[in-house]
Amino acid sequence: SQQGEEDPQALSIQEGENATMNCSYKTSINNLQWYRQNSGRGLVHLILIRSNEREKHSGRLRVTLDTSKKSSSLLITASRAADTASYFCATLAGGTSYGKLTFGQGTILTVHP
Amino acid sequence: NAGVTQTPKFQVLKTGQSMTLQCAQDMNHEYMSWYRQDPGMGLRLIHYSVGAGITDQGEVPNGYNVSRSTTEDFPLRLLSAAPSQTSVYFCASSYVAGVSGSETQYFGPGTRLLVL
């Protein structure tokens, strides 16, 4: 079963606007990661946040984690047309072997120039 | 480094045929995984390996076999292809960084499989 549920399923914005995507999960986690997938290609790792962290930044990306609500959000600031892609959250469940990430269904982001 | 490579890029099979999807990584990563991606389903884990000679099942292992005789290679075998196995297959490798235990997965470009 899918560990992560993402919201919204699709998001359409104008260049320069901020994009926020949310991810909820079901079990306790070791860490939560966000990946990006351009159409027809493999996934690329964006950012990882550990279960004892609440917020993390990387360039125009900001990730928050609320373990009490079992949810995370990814904020992309000042979006660009090149940010158009699918974004997935992935969790490593607590006590689980490495190599065993569980992915959400993804959010399709379209940034219009 | 080539990273994670997968072959073939695209394959058409008839129901009942068998085939092997190849995956190789040149980063000396300990962990390797196979996922399938179907529309609206995200990625689902098929099998994974924590090192040479050690494999285990993921969420959807039925109809697939794996082996890991070397650190570099992690082939996925379809024993008797079925239309339900039509999907895009991704291989990934990862390592665990330092005392934080943070794992980042590196993905191959994928293999598109169509089973008729």
Side-chain angles (χ1 to χ4, degrees):
Chain A
S1 62
Q2 295 289 307
Q3 162 81 311
E5 298 289 336
E6 296 187 56
D7 169 57
Q9 291 187 337
L11 181 61
S12 181
I13 59 175
Q14 296 295 126
E15 213 166 26
E17 294 180 340
N18 295 342
T20 299
M21 290 159 267
N22 303 296
C23 169
S24 60
Y25 56 91
K26 299 175 184 175
T27 64
S28 64
I29 60 171
N30 179 301
N31 64 63
L32 185 144
Q33 306 177 37
W34 287 89
Y35 287 80
R36 164 189 169 134
Q37 183 181 37
N38 288 88
S39 180
R41 300 197 172 190
L43 279 71
V44 175
H45 180 263
L46 294 176
I47 193 167
L48 177 150
I49 186 166
R50 287 187 285 276
S51 60
N52 61 353
E53 297 177 316
R54 292 296 168 259
E55 186 171 316
K56 202 162 184 180
H57 297 256
S58 177
R60 294 185 294 115
L61 305 179
R62 172 178 170 253
V63 171
T64 61
L65 179 65
D66 186 335
T67 53
S68 66
K69 295 181 179 178
K70 292 187 170 55
S71 67
S72 173
S73 67
L74 172 68
L75 169 67
I76 304 174
T77 60
S79 62
R80 306 165 183 167
D83 294 329
T84 294
S86 294
Y87 292 82
F88 295 88
C89 67
T91 54
L92 182 68
T96 301
S97 165
Y98 293 111
K100 202 175 177 184
L101 290 182
T102 303
F103 284 81
Q105 296 176 343
T107 293
I108 300 171
L109 173 66
T110 303
V111 182
H112 300 281
Chain B
N1 289 347
V4 180
T5 58
Q6 292 183 239
T7 56
K9 290 184 179 179
F10 182 71
Q11 183 72 46
V12 179
L13 291 179
K14 294 181 179 178
T15 297
Q17 287 185 317
S18 63
M19 79 160 294
T20 299
L21 279 64
Q22 301 293 342
C23 174
Q25 54 95 4
D26 61 358
M27 297 174 283
N28 200 32
H29 285 172
E30 192 173 358
Y31 304 95
M32 296 187 76
S33 309
W34 273 105
Y35 297 90
R36 60 177 288 174
Q37 184 177 30
D38 302 295
M41 296 290 291
L43 276 77
R44 291 183 291 169
L45 182 66
I46 304 172
H47 286 283
Y48 67 104
S49 170
V50 300
I54 307 170
T55 64
D56 204 349
Q57 296 181 351
E59 180 186 354
V60 288
N62 292 342
Y64 307 94
N65 272 355
V66 292
S67 60
R68 184 125 178 248
S69 56
T70 66
T71 299
E72 294 78 19
D73 300 299
F74 191 42
L76 178 72
R77 281 181 282 278
L78 278 70
L79 308 173
S80 177
S84 61
Q85 293 179 305
T86 293
S87 188
V88 182
Y89 292 84
F90 289 100
C91 178
S93 72
S94 60
Y95 70 100
V96 177
V99 296
S100 67
S102 299
E103 176 197 9
T104 297
Q105 292 202 345
Y106 295 79
F107 282 81
T111 293
R112 294 182 179 274
L113 177 66
L114 174 62
V115 183
L116 303 175

